[in-house]
Amino acid sequence: MTIHLSQALETRLRAEKVAWLTAVGREGKPYPTPVWFLWDGRSFLIYSQPQALKIRAIRNNPRVALHLNTDKWGSKVVVFWGKATIEQEGPSALQVPEYLAKYRQGLADLEMTPEQMAADYSAAIRVVPDRVRDE
């Protein structure tokens, strides 16, 4: 299923730096966590440390929510629901120049090289949304 997004939301997805990924653990508890992401027009690419709780939760239940921060008044709500997969043969962050360009300053602020980031955050998560709330 393909969702249709407004041009304004497409632009926002390319500019936003952080989204909140919520996966549900084995015990049914939701785990929201801030993540860096790359939107390609169909799916979100997220990198994670392989032993992170979100990886275990996604393996247990691939249904996730991903939402953007609101404005300071709680408006501009955007929530995506979809299916997440851990891409065993997914690209390394070093193979995705758009991702590295988007987070160049964030990596510098963390005093982390792209090579360190790719080594530490080696698990590629792909989220394909099937529903969106955009208000």
Side-chain angles (χ1 to χ4, degrees), residues 58-85:
I58 289 167
R59 285 194 174 119
N60 183 59
N61 180 355
R63 296 295 302 168
V64 299
L66 190 79
H67 70 86
L68 303 179
N69 289 324
T70 64
D71 67 11
K72 65 182 179 179
W73 306 109
S75 298
K76 303 206 183 278
V77 174
V78 177
V79 182
F80 293 89
W81 291 271
K83 183 179 179 185
T85 55

Side-chain angles (χ1 to χ4, degrees), residues 2 5 8 28 30 42 49 60 63 70 81 83 91 95 104 123 127 130:
T2 302
L5 306 180
R42 283 192 54 250
Q49 294 170 314
N60 183 59
R63 296 295 302 168
T70 64
W81 291 271
K83 183 179 179 185
Q95 298 170 308
R104 177 175 288 119
V127 177
D130 52 38

Side-chain angles (χ1 to χ4, degrees), residues 16-54:
E16 289 280 336
K17 300 290 191 215
V18 175
W20 286 82
L21 176 68
T22 302
V24 178
R26 190 170 307 229
E27 69 289 350
K29 182 179 176 184
Y31 290 97
T33 205
V35 294
W36 289 356
F37 68 93
L38 183 67
W39 171 251
D40 67 8
R42 283 192 54 250
S43 65
F44 296 91
L45 177 60
I46 298 163
Y47 288 98
S48 174
Q49 294 170 314
Q51 287 76 30
L53 181 60
K54 65 182 160 282

Side-chain angles (χ1 to χ4, degrees), residues 1-7 9-10 39 41 80 129-130 132 134:
M1 175 178 173
T2 302
I3 58 172
H4 298 284
L5 306 180
S6 68
Q7 186 58 49
L9 182 51
E10 287 279 352
W39 171 251
F80 293 89
D130 52 38
V132 64
D134 180 14

